[in-house]
C-alpha cells in the first residue's frame, strides 16, 4: 500500500508543479502504478493486463537504456515476440508505438539537460540517444512547438523574470 501511495503522491506533485516534461513523468508513474496494481491482482488478470505483463520488461529496459541506441527488434527479442507482434501489443497497451515512447523518454531527458545548462545544445541530442541532430530538432519542435534553442531561451527568460520578481 505504501508503494501505491508514494506513486500517487508523485503523480499529484507532478500535476501540481507542471514543470517541463510533467506529462511524461505523470504517464511514466501511471504506467508504474498500473504495472504494480496488475501484479497485485494476478488472480483477476485480464487479457489486457496479461499483454502488459508480457511487454513490461521492455519499458524498464527503455527507461534504463534510452541514451543508447535501441532497436525495436532488440526489445521484441527481450520478450520473445516478433517485431510486428511486439509493436502491435505495445500500441494496444500504451496507446503509442514503442519508438514514440522511447522518443518521449529522450525528449524529456533533453528538457532536463537543457534546463541544467551543463551541456551545449549541440551535444544534447547525442546525450539523449538520438541518432542525429536534425532528427532531434524535428522531434523536439514537433513535441514542444519550439526548437531546443527557443526552449532554452524561454527557460532563461522565466528564470530571469522569477528572480526579478523575488
Amino acid at each position: 500500500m505504501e508503494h501505491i501511495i508514494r506513486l500517487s503522491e508523485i503523480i499529484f506533485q507532478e500535476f501540481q508543479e507542471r514543470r517541463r516534461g510533467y506529462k511524461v513523468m505523470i504517464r511514466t508513474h501511471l504506467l508504474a502504478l498500473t504495472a504494480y496494481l496488475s501484479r497485485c491482482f494476478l488472480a483477476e488478470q485480464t487479457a489486457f493486463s496479461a499483454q502488459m505483463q508480457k511487454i513490461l520488461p521492455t519499458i524498464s529496459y527503455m527507461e534504463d537504456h534510452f541514451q543508447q541506441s535501441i532497436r525495436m527488434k532488440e526489445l521484441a527479442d527481450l520478450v520473445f515476440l516478433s517485431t510486428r507482434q511486439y509493436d502491435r501489443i505495445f500500441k494496444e497497451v500504451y496507446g503509442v508505438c514503442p519508438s514514440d515512447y522511447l522518443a518521449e523518454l529522450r525528449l524529456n531527458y533533453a528538457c532536463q539537460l537543457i534546463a541544467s545548462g551543463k551541456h551545449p545544445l549541440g551535444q544534447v541530442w547525442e546525450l539523449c540517444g538520438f541518432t542525429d541532430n536534425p532528427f532531434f530538432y524535428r522531434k523536439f519542435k514537433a513535441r514542444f512547438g519550439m526548437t531546443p534553442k527557443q526552449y532554452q531561451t524561454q527557460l532563461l527568460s522565466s528564470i530571469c523574470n522569477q528572480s526579478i520578481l523575488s
Side-chain angles (χ1 to χ4, degrees):
M1 190 64 163
E2 290 176 22
H3 189 64
I4 294 169
I5 292 169
R6 181 66 188 133
L7 285 171
S8 300
E9 288 171 347
I10 292 169
I11 292 166
F12 184 69
Q13 181 181 2
E14 286 290 334
F15 181 76
Q16 279 187 318
E17 294 177 1
R18 294 180 189 247
R19 294 179 293 172
R20 283 280 179 211
Y22 79 95
K23 289 179 182 178
V24 174
M25 295 300 290
I26 289 173
R27 189 177 304 133
T28 301
H29 285 91
L30 277 173
L31 291 173
L33 180 60
T34 304
Y36 181 78
L37 289 172
S38 70
R39 284 182 179 168
C40 292
F41 301 106
L42 280 177
E44 299 171 17
Q45 192 175 51
T46 64
F48 180 79
S49 64
Q51 298 287 57
M52 183 185 302
Q53 287 286 333
K54 187 180 289 185
I55 62 171
L56 199 56
T58 65
I59 295 292
S60 297
Y61 185 85
M62 281 192 265
E63 289 174 356
D64 292 341
H65 299 92
F66 69 88
Q67 293 172 277
Q68 301 164 6
S69 175
I70 299 176
R71 294 186 335 249
M72 291 306 117
K73 176 154 178 37
E74 185 180 347
L75 295 171
D77 288 348
L78 189 65
V79 290
F80 309 105
L81 294 170
S82 70
T83 306
R84 186 171 181 203
Q85 191 177 20
Y86 171 70
D87 189 63
R88 182 186 55 76
I89 292 170
F90 193 100
K91 195 168 191 173
E92 201 175 284
V93 172
Y94 293 103
V96 296
C97 64
S99 58
D100 287 344
Y101 183 87
L102 182 59
E104 192 72 20
L105 288 173
R106 289 173 172 166
L107 290 169
N108 184 47
Y109 187 59
C111 290
Q112 292 173 17
L113 290 177
I114 293 168
S116 77
K118 294 179 183 176
H119 304 282
L121 284 177
Q123 286 182 344
V124 170
W125 66 274
E126 272 185 296
L127 296 170
C128 295
F130 284 97
T131 54
D132 62 58
N133 198 7
F135 180 70
F136 164 65
Y137 269 68
R138 280 193 312 275
K139 284 294 225 183
F140 195 97
K141 187 165 185 174
R143 173 66 178 87
F144 298 108
M146 63 182 87
T147 66
K149 180 66 177 165
Q150 292 168 328
Y151 178 80
Q152 182 183 50
T153 303
Q154 184 178 345
L155 278 176
L156 292 173
S157 174
S158 71
I159 290 169
C160 288
N161 288 340
Q162 286 176 357
S163 63
I164 291 171
L165 297 173
S166 299

